[in-house]
Amino acid sequence: MTSTFSGLRHPARVVVAAFASAVAVGTVLLMLPLSAESGEPTDLVTALFTSTSAVCVTGLVVVDTPGHWSTFGEIVIAGLIQVGGLGIMTLASLLGLLITRRIGLRMRLTAQAETKALELGDVRRVVKGVALVSVSFETVIAAALTVRFLTGYDYAFGTALYHGVFHAISAFNNAGFALYPDSLTRFATDGWICLPIVVAVIAGGLGFPVWIELWRHARHVLRRWSLHVKLTLLTTAALFVVGTVAITTAEWNNPATLGQFGVAGRLLTGFFHAVMPRTAGFNSVDVGEFESGTLLVNDILMFVGGGSAGTAGGIKVTTFALLAFVIIAEVKAQPTVHVLGRKVPSTAQRQALAVVLLSVGAVVTATLALLALTPFSLDEVLFESVSAFATVGLSTGITTALPVSGELLLTVLMFLGRIGPITLASALALRERTRRYELPEERPIIG
């Protein structure tokens, strides 16, 4: 067999099947009496919701993680997070390589014998690379957190190591699960805890293709970087700055959030909460106490998400940036879209637009449904819907108060949000065809 992945005619189905299988296995494990502190079986809906949240690296919970789940249950959750994070990075990277080869095949007009298949060596190289990047970052972050728990909080070595490893896995995979009922609020002003978490979140959210390219071209900064890497890094940095300024300014005097700290604590917390919507889900202050404007800023940051083929969710920063350049080109009446010295094909523009509009449709539909099912406000429900779809895990506190129908709705939304953008984008790219004829042109009135 010369191909293991692209021999499939519908590779996107592999993503759906793989994640559905992982969710099913996780649900069964979490339903076991051994997984709960009480020693009683966990009900199906709670186990399904938690398993989906872990595999889709979201972080939304309907039960208190350290209070409800036993050590075995927490290990299962950590394992599901790792599987979900590694899985999406690997499959998304393979799909990206598959798309690149197919498009490259057409552009080069090579012989039909040079198929667009991924060889076994390609698959092994991607899998090994993803595993190496993940384990490297998680090991460093786990060590840093373990040392801090040991020296700053007098944890026993075993406890410190356990907490360090769990939170490193959760952070790098942008999952947002924490072993504390209040997430990381007890460490809000502790930079030795918050900053390693931030580094892990950013590292996982950039995506495997970015790290591989940065490694290969470490001596040729910018000059040999691809358009994807440049867009990812520049847009990510810009959103961090805008998010930090907006959140810190809006919450500076709010005594329930940043206002309770000194200047250094406010700056640290503001930066922390600008990074978390991208899409980690940890919180160091009560999100439910945010001002309405801050919630809206978080909605936008969560919806955009992180880098492609990474552990973050959302529509991805490259999609967001590309549409911004499309708008700029249209405003300037330019016939084509140029981004950082490169021309972007119209097919990529249409694919980005399709991903964004369908994602908006999913969030709006879920928001309307939750408004009908629950007594909560639009701010709260919209925040919850965006958080679930973008696989963030932040919540204003209403998740545990949702009815079963609301929990099932968010379960579906988390699953769609995790696999939807990548499978949709890859399916559109792989189905790209040339028309054999064109219909007569007619322009409707716009605006």
Side-chain angles (χ1 to χ4, degrees):
M1 183 176 67
T2 61
S3 173
T4 61
F5 187 81
S6 60
L8 299 170
R9 293 185 178 181
H10 305 285
R13 294 180 182 177
V14 176
V15 181
V16 177
F19 274 78
S21 299
V23 168
V25 172
T27 300
V28 172
L29 290 176
L30 291 177
M31 289 178 66
L32 297 175
L34 180 62
S35 295
E37 283 283 5
S38 64
E40 299 291 331
T42 299
D43 65 275
L44 175 61
V45 174
T46 298
L48 175 63
F49 187 97
T50 305
S51 178
T52 305
S53 184
V55 172
C56 297
V57 292
T58 304
L60 287 175
V61 295
V62 290
V63 293
D64 176 32
T65 300
H68 179 85
W69 303 109
S70 65
T71 300
F72 176 79
E74 292 169 357
I75 293 174
V76 169
I77 291 173
L80 293 174
I81 292 171
Q82 190 72 287
V83 168
L86 288 174
I88 199 65
M89 288 180 72
T90 301
L91 292 173
S93 297
L94 289 173
L95 282 173
L97 184 57
L98 175 60
I99 292 168
T100 300
R101 288 200 170 184
R102 177 162 185 166
I103 294 175
L105 175 68
R106 292 178 177 178
M107 292 178 65
R108 294 191 307 268
L109 299 178
T110 52
Q112 186 64 34
E114 291 188 48
T115 68
K116 57 183 176 291
L118 291 181
E119 300 300 327
L120 184 60
D122 296 323
V123 177
R124 287 176 176 170
R125 178 167 51 85
V126 170
V127 172
K128 289 180 179 179
V130 168
L132 179 61
V133 170
S134 300
V135 172
S136 298
F137 275 107
E138 289 172 358
T139 300
V140 172
I141 299 303
L145 293 176
T146 300
V147 170
R148 183 55 180 167
F149 287 135
L150 278 171
T151 59
Y153 298 93
D154 295 325
Y155 284 18
F157 177 76
T159 302
L161 180 62
Y162 177 64
H163 281 240
V165 171
F166 184 95
H167 290 98
I169 292 173
S170 185
F172 178 78
N173 290 288
N174 280 229
F177 278 88
L179 294 179
Y180 307 98
D182 54 357
S183 190
L184 300 180
T185 56
R186 65 188 65 191
F187 308 115
T189 58
D190 189 345
W192 296 102
I193 296 292
C194 291
L195 292 180
I197 294 290
V198 164
V199 170
V201 169
I202 294 174
L206 287 178
F208 174 70
V210 171
W211 285 111
I212 288 299
E213 194 164 331
L214 291 179
W215 174 261
R216 289 177 177 174
H217 304 307
R219 298 182 180 180
H220 306 280
V221 179
L222 286 177
R223 188 173 61 184
R224 294 188 180 180
W225 287 358
S226 67
L227 178 60
H228 171 75
V229 171
K230 293 178 182 177
L231 270 183
T232 300
L233 294 179
L234 290 175
T235 309
T236 297
L239 290 174
F240 284 158
V241 173
V242 172
T244 300
V245 172
I247 293 173
T248 304
T249 302
E251 298 296 322
W252 188 266
N253 293 317
N254 185 345
T257 57
L258 273 62
Q260 61 185 297
F261 308 122
V263 173
R266 295 180 190 186
L267 293 175
L268 174 61
T269 306
F271 175 61
F272 184 86
H273 274 272
V275 173
M276 290 307 112
R278 312 294 318 288
T279 55
F282 293 108
N283 61 281
S284 59
V285 292
D286 186 358
V287 175
E289 297 294 336
F290 277 162
E291 303 289 349
S292 295
T294 308
L295 291 177
L296 181 58
V297 170
N298 274 264
D299 288 338
I300 296 171
L301 293 175
M302 291 190 297
F303 187 74
V304 173
S308 300
T311 57
I315 61 170
K316 303 300 186 292
V317 291
T318 46
T319 305
F320 173 76
L322 175 56
L323 288 184
F325 278 101
V326 170
I327 294 173
I328 292 172
E330 191 63 31
V331 170
K332 291 182 176 181
Q334 295 173 341
T336 56
V337 177
H338 291 181
V339 180
L340 302 177
R342 291 290 187 271
K343 177 184 175 181
V344 178
S346 59
T347 51
Q349 300 169 37
R350 294 198 303 270
Q351 290 158 14
L353 184 61
V355 169
V356 171
L357 291 181
L358 288 174
S359 298
V360 169
V363 170
V364 170
T365 301
T367 300
L368 291 173
L370 286 177
L371 283 173
L373 294 171
T374 69
F376 301 115
S377 68
L378 176 60
D379 280 349
E380 295 171 318
V381 168
L382 177 61
F383 190 94
E384 207 78 9
S385 296
V386 176
S387 181
F389 178 80
T391 67
V392 179
L394 288 173
S395 175
T396 57
I398 69 173
T399 313
T400 55
L402 292 176
V404 172
S405 55
E407 293 179 14
L408 292 175
L409 176 61
L410 289 188
T411 300
V412 174
L413 197 59
M414 288 188 290
F415 192 80
L416 287 177
R418 178 72 280 182
I419 66 171
I422 176 60
T423 55
L424 174 61
S426 61
L428 291 174
L430 292 172
R431 286 167 57 87
E432 181 184 334
R433 292 178 174 84
T434 302
R435 285 185 183 272
R436 296 184 179 180
Y437 63 91
E438 290 289 349
L439 297 175
E441 182 176 305
E442 183 174 354
R443 181 183 178 88
I445 297 175
I446 304 298

